[in-house]
Amino acid sequence: MSVPGDEERLLPLAQRWPRASKFLLSGCAATVAELATFPLDLTKTRLQMQGEAALARLGDSARESAPYRGMVRTALGIVQEEGFLKLWQGVTPAIYRHVVYSGGRMVTYEHLRDVVFGKSEDKHYPLWKSVIGGMMAGVVGQFLANPTDLVKVQMQMEGKRKLEGKPLRFRGVHHAFAKILAEGGIRGLWAGWVPNIQRAALVNMGDLTTYDTVKHYLVLNTSLEDNIMTHMLSSLCSGLVASILGTPADVIKSRIMNQPRDKQGRGLLYKSSTDCLLQAVQGEGLMSLYKGFLPSWLRMEDTFLYRDCEL
């Protein structure tokens, strides 16, 4: 006679550890999406750094030597000036980041949905619960992934530093983690975490709520069924809203993470995310907060490749 423990051991791994299995599946899907779309992320980061007004305080004239270029010209410039493979510079910490962020976000969201909030009696998950759950899940996932995001941003700017005649900061990914840890301690690995989690909360709020709302509307009010077309249209709209909400915080986050620091690990350009925001608006105009918007939006659309396996 079998006992419950024996029956459980006979079940497939996906049924025995559903959340762990989804974490791994989400990480694999995220890795594929990351490799395919990383040149957009690199281009976005380079655009976000162009024309940084705060550099004038350090007497840095490098910002004047490279005129502002759009997404295509920036990507072509990277290929021509640094080489084709440099479009993937920083992809290793980006993969680390995506695995931690996507997995942490998915596990947290499912826990909040199934355990904390719970569905209504008719098995419907209300919009307000989706909003709160999505934001909280994004915050948790992004906070956990902040060290990898920090290394990714700094490595993405290494090619630019080389062109400007500045010394490279890192020899590789693990050297970057070790150097940041040695110079700033554990706290140094979480530089820029405030705008980072703000961005995550805004992106997840716009992404999850818009996707669910648009998909629900299309199924109920059009001839479309719950199929790949509905899925892609919902993702297109959710990516646009998420980019509109999250790009300003993303710009601030990238600049704080990439700024030069003193021997104590303190930033030389910005005292806080608010200071960075004010300097950007005052020195470059309000639209500077949307530098890199187009590649950011295009990259958001990779979510339809693995959204269903996450949520």
Side-chain angles (χ1 to χ4, degrees):
M1 181 177 179
S2 62
V3 297
D6 294 330
E7 293 179 355
E8 184 178 346
R9 282 193 290 270
L10 294 175
L11 292 174
L13 292 177
Q15 295 182 27
R16 290 166 59 186
W17 298 296
R19 284 200 171 89
S21 299
K22 284 194 174 184
F23 185 99
L24 293 174
L25 180 61
S26 174
C28 292
T31 298
V32 174
E34 190 71 38
L35 289 169
T37 63
F38 189 78
L40 287 172
D41 188 71
L42 176 67
T43 303
K44 176 204 71 174
T45 302
R46 293 289 182 91
L47 286 169
Q48 289 174 340
M49 302 300 179
Q50 286 191 10
E52 200 170 357
L55 289 174
R57 290 215 323 260
L58 297 181
D60 195 332
S61 60
R63 67 187 184 95
E64 303 295 340
S65 63
Y68 183 83
R69 300 183 290 188
M71 181 184 74
V72 176
R73 290 184 61 195
T74 298
L76 290 176
I78 294 171
V79 173
Q80 294 170 354
E81 297 163 2
E82 304 171 43
F84 178 74
L85 292 181
K86 291 300 182 181
L87 288 173
W88 281 269
Q89 187 169 35
V91 71
T92 301
I95 291 174
Y96 294 164
R97 180 257 177 199
H98 230 49
V99 170
V100 175
Y101 172 71
S102 298
R105 170 195 175 195
M106 179 274 298
V107 171
T108 303
Y109 185 74
E110 286 205 340
H111 178 77
L112 291 172
R113 182 185 63 190
D114 299 337
V115 179
V116 178
F117 294 133
K119 295 184 178 181
S120 58
E121 294 181 358
D122 60 355
K123 302 299 181 182
H124 177 65
Y125 195 58
L127 179 61
W128 70 269
K129 290 184 178 180
S130 179
V131 173
I132 296 176
M135 292 180 68
M136 293 177 65
V139 167
V140 172
Q142 192 61 76
F143 181 79
L144 294 174
N146 195 82
T148 56
D149 218 353
L150 175 66
V151 172
K152 181 202 74 170
V153 169
Q154 294 197 9
M155 290 192 71
Q156 285 177 328
M157 296 303 296
E158 288 294 85
K160 184 74 178 299
R161 289 176 61 87
K162 186 175 182 179
L163 289 176
E164 294 173 352
K166 298 177 180 178
L168 298 182
R169 291 173 289 192
F170 314 118
R171 295 191 299 270
V173 178
H174 299 105
H175 177 244
F177 279 108
K179 184 176 180 181
I180 294 172
L181 184 62
E183 294 178 350
I186 293 293
R187 187 175 180 180
L189 290 172
W190 268 266
W193 71 271
V194 174
N196 211 4
I197 65 170
Q198 289 172 343
R199 173 193 174 275
L202 291 169
V203 165
N204 277 277
M205 179 182 69
D207 180 20
L208 294 170
T209 57
T210 303
Y211 178 83
D212 288 341
T213 302
V214 172
K215 188 175 182 180
H216 188 68
Y217 176 85
L218 291 175
V219 171
L220 291 181
N221 298 281
T222 71
S223 59
L224 293 174
E225 299 179 355
D226 189 356
N227 52 29
I228 187 63
M229 180 57 67
T230 306
H231 181 65
M232 292 179 67
L233 289 173
S234 302
S235 292
L236 184 69
C237 295
S238 66
L240 176 60
V241 173
S243 294
I244 292 172
L245 293 176
T247 297
D250 195 25
V251 172
I252 300 305
K253 176 264 296 184
S254 295
R255 292 187 172 192
I256 288 180
M257 286 182 169
N258 188 62
Q259 69 174 324
R261 299 182 179 275
D262 60 19
K263 295 181 179 179
Q264 285 72 43
R266 295 173 298 192
L268 297 177
L269 298 181
Y270 311 111
K271 299 176 182 179
S272 64
S273 55
T274 302
D275 181 42
C276 182
L277 171 68
L278 293 175
Q279 289 198 51
V281 173
Q282 293 172 356
E284 304 162 53
L286 184 63
M287 291 309 296
S288 65
L289 299 177
Y290 282 90
K291 288 181 177 180
F293 173 81
L294 183 56
S296 177
W297 177 31
L298 293 176
R299 195 163 189 264
M300 287 284 183
E301 302 314 320
D302 76 342
T303 55
F304 82 85
L305 294 173
Y306 58 91
R307 180 190 302 276
D308 285 341
C309 70
E310 277 193 279
L311 302 176

